């Protein structure tokens, strides 16, 4: 439609606007404190201060933040991989009373933004004594309707005959699920696992609300509190951001085809 | 007891498999939704006094609440408009047979994978009036510096939000574009329609479902933005970026007024659901079949 040079210019400028701030974050993480405060803009640090990354662990319980993020995002991802396909399978392949009602009730939860649940969940967790604990961070996110819906869409085209054949061969229902259905869903499970992990790794609001001590914070929350509680040192904040950013960026670059397909799938179907 | 029929047996299996999900959604979706509504009718430090519609009446009359709704609406409009215009422009560009399209796509999607914590802190640093790298670069270049977060705070945080999300919108539009049969364009070309005409008469109408979906998603996420205000502006300057969820968060966790904050949550939820329904209705009427 448009001339190619114009298209390249548009995409090139957009890419630069995307990449330059992220590169600046990397640069900032390697600057000295003086460089971050100097009147002249420092784009490339004089000599890279790799020690900034070590200092994070000295100045704040950054090791705890990392462990917490891994435990919380990991456990939630695992729970999604266990429950979402199972529930998706039931809605794809079983006929039972209230099936449509339950399915509509499930999809209705997609209309409920997290902030609506935030206050009652906080009160619930306070009553259970689960504030500032792993179970408090994890349990509200064990499954979600998106994942279940994605798995249902994926399982539906699997021929019913496969299931019947396994049943006739005497396989138990759990065995049918485990040996016949689950192996076929691997690509969808990959998408589900990636999405769940990345979003939980980055989650901000609930860990902010549900944790109160530094030792229980996840990286995103710990980072923003760096700016208030511990110190307002931009080079360290940037170093922490890089640590938060790199795992998802690497994961994404390795699997970007799945990601793009996942967005198209969950977004449009 | 052994069920008599085969389908009875499978129904039992279905419920057995569903049990964890039923318990989970009951405890962590339906119970909280019931509780937020119940709490919205209560007042007092323990939210234990019945006040009926008192919180709602107070919220509707409260200038701070009204202001936060207006701010949120303005923010959402900017995010929706930007998502559609920029997302579509980028998708149209990247849909062409260009070298390195995959690289462009990957690069443009990367911010979508970053936490709002990173985006917020990074841009707070970049935009800082004194220490921000943007102003220091402008100064070095002899250009006038800008105080973006003071002169146009809402527009600025909307732009930062777009910086993060436009790659996602682009991918959605790209999927929509690829769903348009090539033959339509070829037929129009034979009929002598130029590229501009083909875009307005074919691409855009056939893209309507995608555009609708993108706008619904952008409205929903715009109306519940939080981190931008919490991290970048702290709601300021003054109350210029006091986004609704940030306002609710402060009422709930700073002033501990759970009844009042719950009522505001319910009001915002009603707005979101209403918008979604209106958009989907409008979309159904204008839907193009092909």
């Amino acid at each position: 439609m448009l001339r190619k040079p114009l298209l390249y210019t548009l995409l090139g400028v957009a890419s630069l606007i995307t990449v330059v701030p992220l590169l600046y974050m990397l640069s900032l993480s390697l600057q000295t404190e003086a460089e971050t405060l100097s009147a002249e803009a420092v784009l490339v640090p004089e000599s890279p201060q790799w020690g900034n990354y070590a200092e994070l662990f000295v100045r704040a319980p950054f090791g705890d933040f990392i462990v917490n993020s891994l435990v919380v995002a990991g456990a939630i991802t695992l729970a999604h991989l266990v429950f979402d396909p199972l529930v998706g399978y039931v809605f794809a392949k079983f006929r039972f009373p209230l099936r449509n009602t339950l399915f509509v009730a499930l999809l209705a939860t997609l209309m409920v933004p997290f902030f609506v649940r935030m206050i009652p969940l906080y009160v619930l967790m306070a009553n259970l004594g689960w504030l500032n604990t792993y179970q408090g961070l994890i349990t509200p996110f064990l499954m979600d309707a998106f994942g279940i819906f994605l798995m249902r869409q994926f399982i539906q085209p699997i021929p019913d005959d496969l299931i019947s054949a396994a049943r006739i061969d005497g396989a138990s229902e759990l065995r049918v699920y485990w040996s016949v259905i689950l192996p076929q869903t691997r690509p969808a499970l990959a998408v589900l696992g990636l999405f769940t992990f990345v979003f939980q790794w980055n989650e901000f609001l609930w860990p902010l609300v549900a944790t109160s001590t530094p030792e229980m914070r996840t990286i995103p929350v710990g980072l923003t509190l760096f700016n208030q509680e511990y110190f307002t040192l931009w080079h360290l904040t940037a170093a922490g951001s890089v640590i938060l950013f790199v795992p998802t960026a690497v994961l994404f670059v390795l699997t970007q085809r799945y990601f793009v397909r996942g967005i198209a799938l969950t977004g449009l179907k | 007891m052994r069920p008599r029929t085969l389908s009875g047996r499978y129904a039992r299996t279905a419920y057995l498999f569903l049990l964890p999900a039923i318990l989970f959604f009951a405890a962590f979706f339906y119970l909280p939704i019931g509780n937020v509504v119940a709490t919205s009718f209560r007042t007092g430090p323990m939210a234990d006094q019945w006040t009926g519609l008192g919180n709602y009446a107070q919220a509707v009359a409260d200038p701070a609440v009204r202001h936060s709704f207006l701010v949120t609406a303005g923010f959402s409009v900017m995010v929706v408009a930007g998502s559609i215009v920029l997302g579509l422009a980028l998708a149209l560009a990247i849909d062409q047979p260009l070298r390195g399209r995959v690289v462009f796509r990957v690069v443009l999607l990367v911010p979508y994978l970053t936490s709002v914590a990173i985006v917020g802190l990074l841009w707070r640093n970049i935009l800082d009036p004194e220490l921000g790298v943007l102003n220091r670069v402008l100064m070095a270049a002899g250009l006038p510096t800008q105080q973006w977060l003071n002169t146009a705070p809402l527009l600025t945080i909307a732009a930062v939000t777009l910086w993060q999300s436009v790659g996602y919108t682009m991918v959605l539009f790209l999927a929509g574009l690829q769903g348009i049969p090539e033959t339509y364009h070829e037929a129009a070309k034979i009929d002598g329609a130029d590229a501009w005409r083909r875009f307005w008469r074919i691409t855009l109408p056939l893209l309507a479902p995608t555009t609708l979906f993108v706008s619904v998603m952008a409205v929903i996420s715009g109306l519940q933005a939080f981190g931008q205000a919490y991290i970048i502006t702290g709601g300021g300057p003054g109350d210029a970026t006091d986004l609704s969820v940030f306002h609710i968060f402060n009422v709930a966790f700073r002033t501990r007024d759970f009844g009042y904050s719950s009522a505001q949550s319910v009001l915002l939820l009603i707005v979101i659901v209403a918008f979604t329904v209106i958009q989907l209705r409008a979309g159904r009427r204008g839907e193009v079949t092909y």
Side-chain angles (χ1 to χ4, degrees):
Chain A
M1 192 172 124
L2 294 169
R3 296 272 163 77
K4 278 199 178 173
L6 199 62
L7 296 178
Y8 278 117
T9 310
L10 175 67
L11 290 169
V13 168
S15 300
L16 277 180
I17 294 173
T18 302
V19 163
V20 168
L22 293 170
L23 287 178
Y24 177 66
M25 176 170 82
L26 188 63
S27 156
L28 195 56
S29 79
L30 297 172
Q31 296 181 14
T32 62
E33 190 183 351
E35 282 174 314
T36 68
L37 299 173
S38 81
E40 277 170 38
V42 177
L43 298 179
V44 181
E46 189 83 12
S47 67
Q49 304 293 309
W50 296 103
N52 288 347
Y53 286 86
E55 209 184 327
L56 277 177
F57 295 84
V58 180
R59 301 286 287 265
F62 206 82
D64 289 336
F65 298 169
I66 294 176
V67 170
N68 295 337
S69 274
L70 283 173
V71 168
V72 172
I76 292 171
T77 305
L78 203 65
H80 276 238
L81 292 177
V82 169
F83 291 116
D84 289 358
L86 184 66
V87 179
Y89 168 52
V90 173
F91 282 116
K93 292 297 183 189
F94 284 78
R95 303 285 170 271
F96 52 91
L98 294 179
R99 174 174 174 270
N100 290 338
T101 313
L102 288 176
F103 194 60
V104 169
L106 175 74
L107 290 187
T109 63
L110 285 175
M111 294 266 266
V112 184
F114 182 75
F115 75 85
V116 180
R117 299 195 290 149
M118 170 177 80
I119 296 162
L121 279 177
Y122 178 84
V123 175
L124 176 70
M125 294 302 171
N127 290 337
L128 289 170
W130 284 8
L131 285 178
N132 214 37
T133 66
Y134 282 137
Q135 60 268 35
L137 287 171
I138 292 165
T139 49
F141 301 101
L142 288 177
M143 311 173 206
D144 76 9
F146 247 134
I148 292 170
F149 187 70
L150 175 74
M151 296 310 297
R152 187 190 87 121
Q153 296 299 88
F154 204 85
I155 291 170
Q156 225 154 25
I158 298 174
D160 290 350
D161 293 349
L162 269 178
I163 301 165
S164 309
R167 278 174 180 161
I168 291 165
D169 285 348
S172 69
E173 287 300 321
L174 211 55
R175 182 70 197 267
V176 173
Y177 169 69
W178 185 258
S179 307
V180 178
I181 301 297
L182 214 49
Q184 311 232 21
T185 63
R186 265 188 214 139
L189 285 179
V191 170
L192 179 66
L194 281 167
F195 268 73
T196 309
F197 186 82
V198 169
F199 284 101
Q200 291 304 326
W201 180 257
N202 289 333
E203 170 64 27
F204 181 64
L205 181 51
W206 181 242
L208 175 71
V209 168
T211 61
S212 52
T213 64
E215 291 72 27
M216 275 313 293
R217 272 165 196 146
T218 56
I219 308 173
V221 178
L223 270 181
T224 60
L225 295 176
F226 263 9
N227 262 264
Q228 297 147 22
E229 277 176 31
Y230 303 105
F231 37 72
T232 310
L233 298 181
W234 281 110
H235 56 308
L236 297 187
T237 303
S241 298
V242 171
I243 291 179
L244 177 63
F245 175 62
V246 164
T248 49
V250 170
L251 202 62
F252 169 66
V253 170
L254 292 176
T255 60
Q256 50 91 16
R257 276 170 196 283
Y258 282 114
F259 253 97
V260 172
R261 202 187 308 159
I263 291 174
L265 256 174
T266 53
L268 288 176
K269 272 292 155 189
Chain B
M1 198 184 80
R2 209 183 154 74
R4 273 162 297 166
T5 63
L6 203 61
S7 68
R9 191 161 79 93
Y10 294 137
R12 203 178 58 170
T13 308
Y15 281 118
L16 206 64
F17 283 179
L18 281 184
L19 193 63
I22 291 173
L23 293 176
F24 170 79
F25 284 98
F28 293 109
F29 276 88
Y30 285 95
L31 180 73
I33 296 165
N35 280 344
V36 80
V37 175
T39 310
S40 73
F41 297 124
R42 293 169 186 283
T43 188
M46 306 297 289
D48 52 2
Q49 281 169 272
W50 178 260
T51 175
L53 291 172
N55 287 322
Y56 289 95
Q58 191 189 341
V60 172
D62 187 341
V65 174
R66 285 193 204 176
H67 176 78
S68 78
F69 268 86
L70 282 178
V71 165
T72 310
F75 175 81
S76 302
V77 167
M78 292 184 225
V79 172
V80 172
S83 294
I84 292 174
V85 174
L86 292 175
L88 181 56
L90 290 171
L92 285 168
I94 218 168
D95 193 35
Q96 306 299 314
L98 298 174
R99 268 160 186 261
R101 329 171 19 182
V102 177
V103 177
F104 284 127
R105 195 183 63 190
V106 169
V107 166
L108 290 169
L109 251 182
V110 163
Y112 176 60
L113 307 164
T114 56
S115 175
V116 70
I118 294 179
V119 177
L121 290 168
L122 177 59
W123 282 95
R124 208 180 93 195
N125 178 283
I126 292 173
L127 297 170
D128 188 276
E130 276 107 44
L131 290 175
V133 70
L134 198 48
N135 273 347
R136 288 189 285 163
V137 167
L138 287 175
M139 223 162 4
L143 294 166
T145 60
Q146 298 292 329
Q147 310 233 337
W148 295 271
L149 288 169
N150 285 322
T151 48
L154 206 57
L155 181 66
T156 306
I157 61 171
V160 170
T161 306
L162 282 170
W163 178 82
Q164 183 179 20
S165 64
V166 79
Y168 170 73
T169 318
M170 177 193 76
V171 170
L172 290 176
F173 274 120
L174 200 56
L177 283 174
Q178 285 165 357
I180 297 175
E182 201 53 46
T183 46
Y184 283 74
H185 280 281
E186 279 160 14
K189 229 184 255 181
I190 290 165
D191 288 347
D194 60 9
W196 192 242
R197 225 177 150 75
R198 291 201 302 275
F199 171 72
W200 284 105
R201 294 291 170 83
I202 299 174
T203 310
L204 211 53
L206 288 177
L207 221 47
T210 310
T211 311
L212 178 71
F213 182 79
V214 168
S215 61
V216 172
M217 294 297 276
V219 167
I220 292 174
S221 69
L223 289 178
Q224 52 179 312
F226 169 79
Q228 292 86 337
Y230 182 86
I231 300 165
I232 305 179
T233 62
D239 55 5
T241 58
D242 191 26
L243 295 171
S244 284
V245 175
F246 180 65
H247 190 81
I248 293 168
F249 172 90
N250 281 330
V251 173
F253 299 110
R254 300 246 160 92
T255 69
R256 297 265 147 188
D257 194 340
F258 287 141
Y260 195 35
S261 54
S262 293
Q264 291 176 38
S265 295
V266 174
L267 285 176
L268 183 59
L269 176 64
I270 291 170
V271 172
I272 289 180
V273 171
F275 255 101
T276 314
V277 170
I278 291 169
Q279 277 178 309
L280 293 178
R281 281 263 169 86
R284 205 170 298 149
R285 204 171 302 142
E287 206 162 299
V288 186
T289 46
Y290 57 94

